[in-house]
Amino acid sequence: MKKHYVFLLLALISIGVFAQNGNIRGIIADENGITVPGANVVIEELKKGSISDFDGSFILVNIPEGTYNLLIKYLGYADFKQEVIVTNGKTSTLNVTLKSNNTELDEVEVTGYSLGSQARALNTQKNKQNITNIVSTDQIGKFPDANIGDAVKRIPGITMQVDQGEARNIIIRGLSPQLNSVTLNGSRIPSAEGDNRNVQMDLIPADMIQTVEVNKAVTPDMDADALGGSVNLITKTSPQGFRLSATAGSGVNYITDKRILNGSFLLGDRSKNGKFGYMLSASFNDNDFGSDNVEAEWEDAFEYNAFDDEDNLEEVDVNPYAKVSEIREYLVQRIRRSFSANFDYKLNENNNIYFKSIYNWRDDRENRFRLEQEILDGEDIEPGDFTVDGNGNLTSFPIEAKRQSKGGIDNNRSKNRRLEDQRMFNFSLGGEHLANKLQIDWMASFAKASEERLNERYLEYESEYGVAFNNNTDKPLFTPLDANVAAFDIFEFGELTEENQYTEEKDFNFFTNFKLPLNIFQQEDGFLKFGVRTRLKNKNRDNDFVEYSPKTSDLDLLGGVPTRNYSDKDFLAGSQYAVGTFATPEYLGTLNLYDAAQFEAEDLPEEYLTANFDVDENVFATYAMTNQKLSDKLSVLFGVRLEHTKINSLGNELIFDEDGDYAGTNELKDENSYTNILPGLHFKYNVSDNTVLRFAWTNTLARPNYVDLVPYQEVNNEDEEIYLGNSELNPTTSMNFDVMAEHYFKSVGIISAGIFYKDIQDFVYTSQSEDTNGYEVYQPLNGDGATVFGAEFSLQRQLDFLPGFAKNFSIYLNYTYLTSNAKGIKNEDGEERNDLDLPQTAPNMFNASLGYATKKLSLRLSGNYSDAYIDEIGGRDFEDRYYDEQFFLDFNANISINKNLSLYADLNNITNQPLRYFQGVKSRTMQMEYYGRRLTFGLKYDLFKKN
C-alpha cells in the first residue's frame, strides 16, 4: 500500500514539474507596507482567480503564456489593475500596493488605514470557503482587552470562563473548552493545565497577535479535534516596509488601589531586494490586583445524635441550608512577558522559507486568606446544639472553623506568595514551494507548555463554636453566637503543609500539503489538495505533598504568631462579610520547615500520587479534498480526513491497609487506539459580489482529558469517596450542519445570520454513584448522545446613512441562541436523568458595541453577555452546579495627537460583574467572586515607512 502512495505522489509531482504553462506570484500590501489578506485576485481574460493569504501572498498557477490584466478587488479599497506578462515554465512576480479609496461613500470619507483592521478581517472572512469569523489585531485594539481571551469573547458564538476576572477558557457555540482547539499559526498550542486540555487564553497578550481566525466549520485539511470550533492565532508577519510600534501605559485596580504597568514594542522591516523580512515584538504587563470571594455548599438533609448513639441518628425535616460557608480574600500579582521573532526569506521566485517563534512567560503570585466554617457531622451534634424555626429553617448549629493562610517561601521569586510559573513557547520552521503548477507547503514545530508551583505553603488553625445562619440563599452568612468563643487568638494549630507541583506538555508537529489545479466541471479555479500530518504529544505531572508537625509550642495558637486583619469595610460581596485575622504570609514564608529540630516532616502520597501521570498521545492523519466551481456563483469543497490516535498512559493506584492507612502504590499502565474517518462538504453561493450563502456538513471529534484517561484509583476514607480514571473512554464525535448567510456593506461592514446543529455521540461526563460500602464513586464515563441547535446573528457597520455628526457612529452587534439535550447521564441511584442540557452550553450570548470615531477621536462602549448554564452535573438535580449569567461593560477612548502618536484610556468591568455559581436553583449562591473595576491609560506610537 505504501508503494502505491509513493508512486502516486511522484506521479503528481512529475505532472507539476513538467507542465509548460507559467505562474504568477505576488504580495499585496497597503500604503503603509502592511500586508493585505483576503484580497480577491482575478485574471479577467481567463476568469481565473485566487485569494491572498494571511501574509498577503497569492499564487496563480497553470497560466497560458501571454499578457493579462490582473484585477484585485478589496472591500474598502479602490479596485487595482495591473498588466502582467506570463512566460511558459517561469513564475512572474509582482508586489502590489493597494491605494486607499479616499472617495465619498454615502458622504463618509473612507481611508485605507482607518478601515484597515475591519477591512482585512471582513475581506478574509468573505472569501473563505468555510464558515469563519475573523478579527484583526487593530480591531482588537478598539476594545480594552489586555489578553487574547478577552478579545476573542467578542466574536459571535463565543463566551469565556474567567479566572481572577480575566478570560481564560474558551467556549465555542456552547461547547466546553476541552471540546475546542487552539492553534498558533496552524500548530497546536499545548496546555499547561494539569487535568484537562484547556489552553490558557489569558497567557497570550493581545498585542502579540495579528489575526484571530475562528473556524466554526472545519475543512479536511484542518485538525479534526475541534468539535465546537478551532481558533487559530496568527502572529504578526514581516511588513513590506519599515515599521516601528511601541506602547507604554499604567493604570490602577480599584479593588486594591494597586498600580498596573504595561508596555509593548514591535520592530519590522524588509531588505531592499525584498528577499529577507523580519518582525520582532515584545510585550510586558504587571498587574497587582485581587478578588473578594464568598462560597457556600448547600444541603437539604439534617440529622443529629438524639440518643447518644452514633449509629442511630435522628433526621429532621428542614429547608435547604448552607452546610459550608467560606469567606476568601485574594491578593494577586500577575506579570506577563511575551517575546516573538519571525523571519522569512525568499530563496527565489518559487521557494520561500520562514521561521516563527513566540515565548510567553507568566508569573502568578497569590496570597489567599480563607475562613471556612462547616457544620459538624451529625454524630457530633446533640439536642440543644441547633434550632429550627416554625418554617423549617435551620437557624443555628455548631460548626468547625478553619483560618488558613496560603503563601510561599521568602525569596526573590516567590516573595512569600504562592508562585505559579507558567510558560509556553512555540518554534516553527516551514516553507512554501512551487514546482510549476504543484504547490507544496510544509511546517515542523516544537511547542511546550509548563506550570510549576514550588514551595506552596498552607498554615491552618481550627476552632469550634455555634453560629446563627441568616437563611439568605443569595447572600448566605454565618454569625458566631458568642464572639468571645470565636475569637481568632484562641484558634488552635491544625496543619502546616508544603507542596510542589509540575505539569508539562510537549508537542511535536509536522505537516505537508500538496495542491494541484483540478477542474472537474469545466470551470476555473478548481484544485485538489492532499497532505499528511503527525502530532506527537507527551503530558506528565509530578507533584508531591509534605505535612509538617511543629516540635515546639510556638505555633500552638493563632494568637501566638504574627497576624494581620484582612477584613475590609469595602469588601465587594458586602460589608457584612468580615474575613478576619490570619497568620501573615511573611511569617509563613520564613518558617524553616526543613530544620528537623523544629519540624517533623511526613510525606503523604495519598495527597498527590493519583494526580501524577504520564501520557503519550500520537496522532497520524491524512486527508484529500477538492474545491470545485459548479457555476460562476456556486462552488463546493468536499473531502475526507483520516486520523489515527494511539495513547499510552501511566497512573497510580493507592493501596490502604485495614485501618485505612496508606500501605503502598501500584503503577497502572494502559494503552488505547482508535481511527476516525471524517468526511466534510462545504457549499458557497455568491448571490452577488457582496452577498454569500454557505452550507457545511462536517464531522469532528474531541479527545478525552488526559487525567480522565489515566488508570488511577484514589480512595478517600475520611470523606468516604473513591475517584477512578477510565483509560477506555471513547473520543466524543459530532456530525455538524451549518447554514449561514452574509451580506457585506461597501462601507466595510457585515450583516449575517445562520443556524447550526450538532449530533454528538459519546460525550464525557463525571458519573457519581454509591458502592456497596456507602462510598461515593466518581468516574468519567461516556454519555449516550447529545444534540445542540443554535442560531447566530451579527451586524457591524458604520452608520454612514445618518446626517451630520451621527454618521461617525458605528455599531457592532452579535447574538447567539443555543438549545441542547443530553442523554445517558445517570444519577447517584443509577437512574437516567432526562432534565439535562449538555454541560457548559450557554443558551444566550450577546455582544454590543457603540463606537464614535473622527480623524482625531475614537470612543467605544462595549457590552458582553453570556447566559447561565449547567457547569457540573451532581448526583441529583439539587447538587448540580451552574455558572451564572454575566454582563461585562467596558469603555475605551483613543485620541490621535498626530499621525504616529496617540493617547488611550480604558475602563474595564464598569458593572463590577462577579463570577457567580449557583447550586440547583438560581437563588442559591455557591460562589460569588468580585474583581472591581480597572483603569488603564497610556501612549501608542506607530511609524510606517514603505520601501
Side-chain angles (χ1 to χ4, degrees):
M1 182 63 71
K2 290 182 179 180
K3 292 181 179 179
H4 293 305
Y5 286 137
V6 174
F7 177 78
L8 176 62
L9 179 60
L10 291 175
L12 289 169
I13 294 176
S14 299
I15 292 172
V17 171
F18 294 111
Q20 289 302 306
N21 289 338
N23 305 313
I24 301 173
R25 189 168 195 165
I27 293 179
I28 305 172
D30 64 13
E31 295 166 297
N32 296 306
I34 306 302
T35 55
V36 173
N40 193 3
V41 184
V42 179
I43 299 176
E44 294 185 287
E45 294 86 348
L46 301 178
K47 294 184 178 179
K48 185 179 182 70
S50 179
I51 305 297
S52 62
D53 205 345
F54 66 88
D55 59 357
S57 63
F58 68 90
I59 300 176
L60 292 161
V61 300
N62 199 31
I63 310 299
E65 188 173 62
T67 301
Y68 301 98
N69 290 309
L70 199 66
L71 173 66
I72 298 177
K73 300 175 71 68
Y74 201 71
L75 199 67
Y77 285 76
D79 289 353
F80 177 91
K81 286 188 178 181
Q82 181 167 326
E83 187 177 271
V84 60
I85 300 173
V86 178
T87 305
N88 284 341
K90 294 186 177 181
T91 299
S92 301
T93 61
L94 68 158
N95 293 325
V96 177
T97 301
L98 288 187
K99 303 292 183 181
S100 55
N101 219 337
N102 285 337
T103 59
E104 295 291 322
L105 292 178
D106 296 331
E107 300 182 352
V108 176
E109 186 180 85
V110 178
T111 62
Y113 181 58
S114 65
L115 284 176
S117 62
Q118 200 171 2
R120 281 172 169 81
L122 292 181
N123 276 278
T124 305
Q125 182 173 317
K126 173 176 175 283
N127 291 311
K128 283 277 189 177
Q129 180 67 28
N130 62 321
I131 296 172
T132 308
N133 289 112
I134 310 289
V135 179
S136 73
T137 184
D138 292 332
Q139 193 171 0
I140 289 171
K142 294 180 180 179
F143 300 98
D145 301 324
N147 70 67
I148 203 66
D150 282 312
V152 168
K153 74 182 181 186
R154 306 190 188 274
I155 296 175
I158 288 181
T159 187
M160 303 294 297
Q161 295 176 334
V162 300
D163 176 71
Q164 288 295 343
E166 298 182 328
R168 167 165 285 195
N169 298 321
I170 184 168
I171 296 176
I172 304 177
R173 287 180 162 178
L175 296 180
S176 58
Q178 63 265 28
L179 302 181
N180 308 304
S181 68
V182 182
T183 60
L184 185 71
N185 301 314
S187 177
R188 287 299 296 268
I189 296 179
S191 168
E193 294 282 348
D195 55 359
N196 56 56
R197 295 177 181 266
N198 303 349
V199 173
Q200 303 95 322
M201 300 292 281
D202 58 346
L203 185 62
I204 303 171
D207 49 15
M208 300 297 288
I209 301 300
Q210 173 175 294
T211 304
V212 179
E213 185 180 75
V214 181
N215 294 288
K216 295 178 177 176
V218 299
T219 52
D221 58 341
M222 301 177 185
D223 284 335
D225 53 347
L227 198 144
S230 171
V231 178
N232 186 28
L233 307 177
I234 300 171
T235 55
K236 295 180 178 180
T237 57
S238 307
Q240 295 303 298
F242 178 78
R243 184 181 183 187
L244 173 64
S245 179
T247 300
S250 186
V252 62
N253 286 292
Y254 289 115
I255 192 171
T256 57
D257 292 329
K258 294 292 185 67
R259 58 98 183 103
I260 300 170
L261 298 175
N262 63 75
S264 65
F265 177 80
L266 182 148
L267 177 66
D269 201 358
R270 186 161 294 278
S271 61
K272 290 184 178 180
N273 62 8
K275 286 193 170 187
F276 175 70
Y278 69 90
M279 179 70 83
L280 307 176
S281 57
S283 176
F284 175 82
N285 180 270
D286 184 348
N287 192 7
D288 206 331
F289 61 110
S291 62
D292 296 342
N293 178 289
V294 173
E295 300 188 16
E297 185 178 340
W298 296 82
E299 182 60 83
D300 59 356
F302 175 76
E303 56 186 11
Y304 70 103
N305 194 345
F307 311 106
D308 196 21
D309 182 358
E310 294 182 0
D311 298 322
N312 186 21
L313 302 181
E314 182 76 7
E315 294 185 4
V316 179
D317 290 332
V318 295
N319 295 322
Y321 64 96
K323 68 174 184 179
V324 179
S325 169
E326 293 186 6
I327 306 174
R328 302 182 178 195
E329 178 72 14
Y330 287 89
L331 300 175
V332 181
Q333 181 189 29
R334 284 182 175 172
I335 300 177
R336 293 184 181 88
R337 316 159 189 86
S338 189
F339 311 94
S340 177
N342 296 334
F343 307 95
D344 62 82
Y345 187 75
K346 181 179 177 181
L347 299 172
N348 54 41
E349 291 80 2
N350 294 324
N351 298 281
N352 298 332
I353 58 172
Y354 62 84
F355 172 79
K356 295 184 177 183
S357 64
I358 190 169
Y359 184 90
N360 297 301
W361 177 15
R362 185 183 76 179
D363 285 339
D364 185 308
R365 296 186 178 95
E366 176 182 291
N367 287 124
R368 186 193 71 194
F369 306 97
R370 184 186 73 187
L371 171 60
E372 177 186 333
Q373 301 172 97
E374 180 175 1
I375 190 170
L376 297 182
D377 292 335
E379 57 263 27
D380 297 321
I381 301 176
E382 299 177 355
D385 287 347
F386 65 94
T387 57
V388 180
D389 68 14
N391 296 317
N393 296 315
L394 190 61
T395 56
S396 68
F397 43 81
I399 57 95
E400 180 184 36
K402 299 178 180 179
R403 293 186 174 273
Q404 184 188 78
S405 297
K406 174 183 179 180
I409 62 175
D410 181 20
N411 62 20
N412 290 332
R413 290 282 294 137
S414 296
K415 301 180 180 180
N416 297 311
R417 292 184 170 188
R418 185 275 288 143
L419 173 62
E420 182 180 84
D421 182 332
Q422 285 190 339
R423 309 191 188 200
M424 188 278 289
F425 65 78
N426 183 293
F427 303 118
S428 302
L429 178 66
E432 299 168 344
H433 311 282
L434 183 59
N436 207 319
K437 62 181 180 180
L438 175 64
Q439 299 176 54
I440 307 170
D441 69 273
W442 59 274
M443 185 178 73
S445 68
F446 177 70
K448 177 182 174 181
S450 64
E451 178 181 288
E452 185 175 53
R453 295 166 62 159
L454 299 179
N455 308 111
E456 183 172 336
R457 292 183 171 184
Y458 296 85
L459 175 57
E460 187 170 272
Y461 286 83
E462 302 172 347
S463 184
E464 289 187 9
Y465 49 83
V467 297
F469 173 48
N470 68 351
N471 278 283
N472 185 331
T473 58
D474 183 48
K475 298 267 188 175
L477 178 67
F478 291 0
T479 304
L481 296 174
D482 186 336
N484 293 322
V485 176
F488 80 89
D489 55 346
I490 60 174
F491 273 60
E492 298 177 349
F493 175 81
E495 65 176 17
L496 173 61
T497 64
E498 182 177 276
E499 57 187 281
N500 298 285
Q501 301 179 24
Y502 182 75
T503 304
E504 73 170 17
E505 180 176 316
K506 292 181 286 189
D507 250 10
F508 173 76
N509 283 265
F510 174 79
F511 69 77
T512 183
N513 301 308
F514 303 90
K515 185 177 178 181
L516 280 166
L518 176 66
N519 297 306
I520 299 175
F521 301 103
Q522 305 306 311
Q523 298 282 337
E524 291 294 335
D525 297 340
F527 63 79
L528 169 67
K529 187 177 181 182
F530 57 96
V532 295
R533 183 163 199 148
T534 297
R535 187 170 78 231
L536 309 178
K537 183 189 295 285
N538 172 266
K539 185 152 192 168
N540 64 82
R541 184 162 59 182
D542 185 14
N543 297 348
D544 64 37
F545 188 96
V546 179
E547 183 172 355
Y548 293 89
S549 300
K551 291 185 175 180
T552 68
S553 61
D554 294 349
L555 279 77
D556 283 357
L557 295 175
L558 181 55
V561 302
T563 58
R564 187 175 299 131
N565 188 340
Y566 288 91
S567 296
D568 183 359
K569 63 181 178 60
D570 297 321
F571 195 78
L572 295 179
S575 58
Q576 68 270 34
Y577 295 104
V579 68
T581 301
F582 296 82
T584 65
E586 294 81 7
Y587 174 71
L588 177 58
T590 54
L591 288 175
N592 186 3
L593 302 183
Y594 319 123
D595 182 357
Q598 298 184 58
F599 297 96
E600 180 181 347
E602 181 183 5
D603 181 43
L604 299 177
E606 60 269 30
E607 293 287 343
Y608 64 88
L609 264 184
T610 56
N612 293 346
F613 62 83
D614 195 312
V615 177
D616 289 313
E617 180 182 85
N618 298 328
V619 179
F620 306 93
T622 185
Y623 75 93
M625 70 181 196
T626 182
N627 191 17
Q628 297 294 319
K629 275 191 173 182
L630 304 180
S631 68
D632 288 343
K633 295 180 177 294
L634 180 62
S635 61
V636 59
L637 185 152
F638 60 92
V640 63
R641 185 178 186 88
L642 184 147
E643 290 195 356
H644 177 73
T645 306
K646 183 175 176 59
I647 301 169
N648 291 291
S649 55
L650 173 66
N652 296 297
E653 176 188 24
L654 299 183
I655 302 172
F656 296 90
D657 58 25
E658 294 180 354
D659 298 325
D661 297 325
Y662 172 75
T665 305
N666 279 337
E667 277 196 349
L668 301 177
K669 297 182 179 180
D670 207 342
E671 62 180 45
N672 192 13
S673 64
Y674 47 86
T675 301
N676 297 94
I677 300 175
L678 306 152
L681 176 69
H682 300 256
F683 284 100
K684 179 183 178 185
Y685 183 75
N686 296 313
V687 179
S688 65
D689 284 347
N690 293 323
T691 303
V692 181
L693 300 179
R694 304 178 191 270
F695 168 81
W697 168 65
T698 58
N699 290 271
T700 51
L701 62 88
R703 297 177 175 89
N705 287 326
Y706 302 104
V707 69
D708 293 339
L709 293 169
V710 176
Y712 72 89
Q713 177 175 319
E714 176 184 347
V715 179
N716 186 328
N717 290 303
E718 182 178 353
D719 296 331
E720 296 186 340
E721 294 174 340
I722 299 174
Y723 295 87
L724 302 173
N726 187 353
S727 59
E728 300 302 315
L729 283 173
N730 295 320
T732 302
T733 59
S734 178
M735 181 182 293
N736 317 294
F737 298 89
D738 295 81
V739 178
M740 183 69 70
E742 303 164 350
H743 177 73
Y744 295 83
F745 301 111
K746 290 182 180 179
S747 56
V748 187
I750 183 177
I751 182 170
S752 66
I755 58 174
F756 56 90
Y757 176 80
K758 296 180 180 292
D759 185 4
I760 300 171
Q761 301 297 321
D762 290 326
F763 67 90
V764 179
Y765 75 102
T766 300
S767 167
Q768 183 176 339
S769 60
E770 189 173 294
D771 71 1
T772 55
N773 296 318
Y775 279 46
E776 291 289 335
V777 180
Y778 299 88
Q779 184 177 32
L781 297 176
N782 287 113
D784 292 342
T787 59
V788 177
F789 172 79
E792 290 180 350
F793 169 79
S794 178
L795 170 66
Q796 57 174 301
R797 72 160 298 169
Q798 184 88 18
L799 302 183
D800 46 26
F801 52 85
L802 296 178
F805 76 93
K807 66 187 178 184
N808 294 319
F809 282 100
S810 63
I811 56 173
Y812 179 92
L813 303 170
N814 61 68
Y815 168 73
T816 302
Y817 166 78
L818 283 175
T819 181
S820 66
N821 182 47
K823 298 179 180 179
I825 298 177
K826 297 180 180 180
N827 63 17
E828 58 188 5
D829 298 322
E831 300 169 345
E832 184 170 345
R833 295 183 59 181
N834 298 312
D835 58 340
L836 289 173
D837 294 335
L838 187 67
Q840 300 182 338
T841 52
N844 298 281
M845 291 166 279
F846 181 72
N847 279 291
S849 172
L850 178 65
Y852 181 84
T854 65
K855 289 185 177 180
K856 292 290 187 180
L857 175 67
S858 174
L859 305 173
R860 185 172 295 272
L861 184 67
S862 307
N864 174 266
Y865 171 81
S866 60
D867 208 346
Y869 57 84
I870 187 169
D871 179 66
E872 186 176 287
I873 299 170
R876 53 195 175 104
D877 57 359
F878 181 83
E879 298 171 349
D880 293 339
R881 185 177 74 173
Y882 289 81
Y883 195 104
D884 200 7
E885 62 183 348
Q886 296 185 112
F887 178 69
F888 293 96
L889 188 66
D890 307 312
F891 174 78
N892 71 318
N894 192 291
I895 300 173
S896 296
I897 299 172
N898 56 41
K899 180 181 178 181
N900 306 114
L901 187 63
S902 63
L903 175 70
Y904 73 89
D906 302 330
L907 181 61
N908 290 80
N909 196 20
I910 296 171
T911 56
N912 189 25
Q913 174 64 53
L915 165 68
R916 183 176 184 269
Y917 289 91
F918 59 89
Q919 183 177 321
V921 296
K922 187 176 179 64
S923 62
R924 198 178 293 140
T925 298
M926 283 193 78
Q927 179 181 355
M928 48 182 176
E929 184 170 77
Y930 291 82
Y931 312 105
R933 299 175 184 88
R934 183 177 71 241
L935 174 67
T936 55
F937 49 85
L939 288 171
K940 292 182 179 180
Y941 179 80
D942 223 337
L943 175 65
F944 301 90
K945 185 179 179 181
K946 185 77 167 66
N947 287 344

